[in-house]
Amino acid sequence: MSACILVTGAQGQVGHALMGQAPEHLQVTGLASTELDIRDPLAVEQCIARLQPRLIINAAAYTAVDKAESDAAQAYAVNAEGVANLARSAARHGAGVLHISTDYVFAGDSPQPYREDAPTAPINVYGASKLAGEQLLRELCPQSLILRTSWVFGSHGNNFVKTMLRLARERDELSVVDDQLGCPTSANSIAAALWSLSASYLAQGSLPWGIYHFSGQPACSWHAFALEIFRQAQACGLLQKAPQVHPIATQQYPTPARRPQCSVLDRNRSQKLLKLDAPNWHIELTNCLKQIQQQTDHGT
């Protein structure tokens, strides 16, 4: 029997992309958060003892950045304690772990792209909970690889691309923040990177464990991202007409959670050691809009 790979959070944005790309020759078990609640240590232990996976890809996460400010206990329960539960059971049963983290572990006050060893200093609860999860995973399961990514978008789940398309149909004018910089990254490209790492692990029995950065390129502002979304959506017929998009400063758009001003990730280490090339998010966006169009055509 081929090696089992367990994907947690299989109905989330990245989890859905992972299951859509799951290699046919592998025995992949995808469990949604309703099927495996990683907050429950007993459920996690029983699941891993039963499946005996060689590798666990953890795509389960609490990602509601603003809600986390008033719901810190739940954010930590999933992003920290839940990760610790997976890490303990993985170590007990000899499984490797691939885990997704975020650019929000950084303060966002550096003009230089963040390297993996840059000091972390999250400025919101979500980022702090994800950092706690990283630390617990590394401490409890040395056979773990953390892939930090940023500004995730896709055809499934809630994200900036889908929000912009919805607002474009409702309004003629929009204001979008222009002084926060980051790297849009598609769920599909993250899934492809994780499957590439899985193949290496299954072939070699190990990986260069640790923390790595993986994101789309080039860096841009939310405003520039929105403009490109509307340009492409109009070109492919998803939008009849693009709204006027006004650039605004962060302080003109207050949110419960503070966002990093500049959270561009340095990807050199993952390119050298993991052979993961940074995808061009313009191309990834084109593919994402095609998927959204297909869903619209099929009424899903």
Side-chain angles (χ1 to χ4, degrees), residues 185-197:
T185 315
S186 75
N188 279 340
S189 67
I190 297 166
L194 290 167
W195 284 125
S196 167
L197 293 172

PDB file of all heavy atoms in Angstrom, residues 185-197:
ATOM      1  N   THR A 185      -0.397  35.527  -3.175  1.00  0.00           N
ATOM      2  CA  THR A 185       0.020  34.133  -3.414  1.00  0.00           C
ATOM      3  C   THR A 185      -1.224  33.276  -3.591  1.00  0.00           C
ATOM      4  O   THR A 185      -2.123  33.320  -2.760  1.00  0.00           O
ATOM      5  CB  THR A 185       0.830  33.594  -2.215  1.00  0.00           C
ATOM      6  OG1 THR A 185       1.790  34.577  -1.804  1.00  0.00           O
ATOM      7  CG2 THR A 185       1.544  32.314  -2.566  1.00  0.00           C
ATOM      8  N   SER A 186      -1.273  32.518  -4.658  1.00  0.00           N
ATOM      9  CA  SER A 186      -2.472  31.710  -4.903  1.00  0.00           C
ATOM     10  C   SER A 186      -2.438  30.424  -4.084  1.00  0.00           C
ATOM     11  O   SER A 186      -1.385  29.825  -3.862  1.00  0.00           O
ATOM     12  CB  SER A 186      -2.592  31.363  -6.388  1.00  0.00           C
ATOM     13  OG  SER A 186      -1.674  30.351  -6.740  1.00  0.00           O
ATOM     14  N   ALA A 187      -3.617  29.996  -3.646  1.00  0.00           N
ATOM     15  CA  ALA A 187      -3.754  28.729  -2.921  1.00  0.00           C
ATOM     16  C   ALA A 187      -3.237  27.576  -3.785  1.00  0.00           C
ATOM     17  O   ALA A 187      -2.612  26.640  -3.278  1.00  0.00           O
ATOM     18  CB  ALA A 187      -5.216  28.508  -2.538  1.00  0.00           C
ATOM     19  N   ASN A 188      -3.471  27.667  -5.091  1.00  0.00           N
ATOM     20  CA  ASN A 188      -3.002  26.612  -5.993  1.00  0.00           C
ATOM     21  C   ASN A 188      -1.478  26.490  -6.003  1.00  0.00           C
ATOM     22  O   ASN A 188      -0.936  25.386  -6.052  1.00  0.00           O
ATOM     23  CB  ASN A 188      -3.500  26.864  -7.422  1.00  0.00           C
ATOM     24  CG  ASN A 188      -4.933  26.404  -7.617  1.00  0.00           C
ATOM     25  OD1 ASN A 188      -5.434  25.599  -6.847  1.00  0.00           O
ATOM     26  ND2 ASN A 188      -5.596  26.910  -8.639  1.00  0.00           N
ATOM     27  N   SER A 189      -0.790  27.632  -5.967  1.00  0.00           N
ATOM     28  CA  SER A 189       0.683  27.573  -5.997  1.00  0.00           C
ATOM     29  C   SER A 189       1.229  27.061  -4.662  1.00  0.00           C
ATOM     30  O   SER A 189       2.246  26.359  -4.634  1.00  0.00           O
ATOM     31  CB  SER A 189       1.285  28.939  -6.347  1.00  0.00           C
ATOM     32  OG  SER A 189       1.051  29.881  -5.338  1.00  0.00           O
ATOM     33  N   ILE A 190       0.549  27.382  -3.566  1.00  0.00           N
ATOM     34  CA  ILE A 190       0.961  26.860  -2.254  1.00  0.00           C
ATOM     35  C   ILE A 190       0.774  25.344  -2.234  1.00  0.00           C
ATOM     36  O   ILE A 190       1.655  24.591  -1.784  1.00  0.00           O
ATOM     37  CB  ILE A 190       0.156  27.519  -1.113  1.00  0.00           C
ATOM     38  CG1 ILE A 190       0.419  29.033  -1.064  1.00  0.00           C
ATOM     39  CG2 ILE A 190       0.502  26.878   0.238  1.00  0.00           C
ATOM     40  CD1 ILE A 190      -0.558  29.807  -0.201  1.00  0.00           C
ATOM     41  N   ALA A 191      -0.376  24.896  -2.759  1.00  0.00           N
ATOM     42  CA  ALA A 191      -0.651  23.451  -2.812  1.00  0.00           C
ATOM     43  C   ALA A 191       0.396  22.736  -3.669  1.00  0.00           C
ATOM     44  O   ALA A 191       0.918  21.680  -3.280  1.00  0.00           O
ATOM     45  CB  ALA A 191      -2.051  23.210  -3.360  1.00  0.00           C
ATOM     46  N   ALA A 192       0.730  23.320  -4.815  1.00  0.00           N
ATOM     47  CA  ALA A 192       1.732  22.707  -5.699  1.00  0.00           C
ATOM     48  C   ALA A 192       3.089  22.605  -4.997  1.00  0.00           C
ATOM     49  O   ALA A 192       3.789  21.585  -5.106  1.00  0.00           O
ATOM     50  CB  ALA A 192       1.863  23.514  -6.994  1.00  0.00           C
ATOM     51  N   ALA A 193       3.451  23.654  -4.251  1.00  0.00           N
ATOM     52  CA  ALA A 193       4.719  23.643  -3.502  1.00  0.00           C
ATOM     53  C   ALA A 193       4.710  22.541  -2.448  1.00  0.00           C
ATOM     54  O   ALA A 193       5.699  21.813  -2.278  1.00  0.00           O
ATOM     55  CB  ALA A 193       4.950  25.002  -2.848  1.00  0.00           C
ATOM     56  N   LEU A 194       3.592  22.394  -1.743  1.00  0.00           N
ATOM     57  CA  LEU A 194       3.494  21.378  -0.691  1.00  0.00           C
ATOM     58  C   LEU A 194       3.532  19.962  -1.259  1.00  0.00           C
ATOM     59  O   LEU A 194       4.140  19.064  -0.678  1.00  0.00           O
ATOM     60  CB  LEU A 194       2.220  21.597   0.135  1.00  0.00           C
ATOM     61  CG  LEU A 194       2.247  22.854   1.026  1.00  0.00           C
ATOM     62  CD1 LEU A 194       0.860  23.186   1.549  1.00  0.00           C
ATOM     63  CD2 LEU A 194       3.224  22.684   2.185  1.00  0.00           C
ATOM     64  N   TRP A 195       2.924  19.756  -2.429  1.00  0.00           N
ATOM     65  CA  TRP A 195       2.986  18.428  -3.053  1.00  0.00           C
ATOM     66  C   TRP A 195       4.397  18.130  -3.570  1.00  0.00           C
ATOM     67  O   TRP A 195       4.861  16.996  -3.530  1.00  0.00           O
ATOM     68  CB  TRP A 195       1.954  18.286  -4.170  1.00  0.00           C
ATOM     69  CG  TRP A 195       0.561  18.078  -3.649  1.00  0.00           C
ATOM     70  CD1 TRP A 195      -0.556  18.807  -3.939  1.00  0.00           C
ATOM     71  CD2 TRP A 195       0.129  17.057  -2.728  1.00  0.00           C
ATOM     72  NE1 TRP A 195      -1.648  18.322  -3.257  1.00  0.00           N
ATOM     73  CE2 TRP A 195      -1.257  17.251  -2.508  1.00  0.00           C
ATOM     74  CE3 TRP A 195       0.765  16.013  -2.065  1.00  0.00           C
ATOM     75  CZ2 TRP A 195      -2.002  16.438  -1.655  1.00  0.00           C
ATOM     76  CZ3 TRP A 195       0.033  15.211  -1.205  1.00  0.00           C
ATOM     77  CH2 TRP A 195      -1.320  15.420  -1.009  1.00  0.00           C
ATOM     78  N   SER A 196       5.088  19.159  -4.027  1.00  0.00           N
ATOM     79  CA  SER A 196       6.476  18.986  -4.460  1.00  0.00           C
ATOM     80  C   SER A 196       7.347  18.560  -3.271  1.00  0.00           C
ATOM     81  O   SER A 196       8.171  17.639  -3.381  1.00  0.00           O
ATOM     82  CB  SER A 196       6.991  20.302  -5.060  1.00  0.00           C
ATOM     83  OG  SER A 196       8.382  20.277  -5.220  1.00  0.00           O
ATOM     84  N   LEU A 197       7.134  19.194  -2.117  1.00  0.00           N
ATOM     85  CA  LEU A 197       7.877  18.838  -0.903  1.00  0.00           C
ATOM     86  C   LEU A 197       7.521  17.433  -0.443  1.00  0.00           C
ATOM     87  O   LEU A 197       8.383  16.670   0.003  1.00  0.00           O
ATOM     88  CB  LEU A 197       7.587  19.853   0.216  1.00  0.00           C
ATOM     89  CG  LEU A 197       8.101  21.273  -0.020  1.00  0.00           C
ATOM     90  CD1 LEU A 197       7.589  22.218   1.058  1.00  0.00           C
ATOM     91  CD2 LEU A 197       9.628  21.294  -0.060  1.00  0.00           C
TER      92      LEU A 197
END
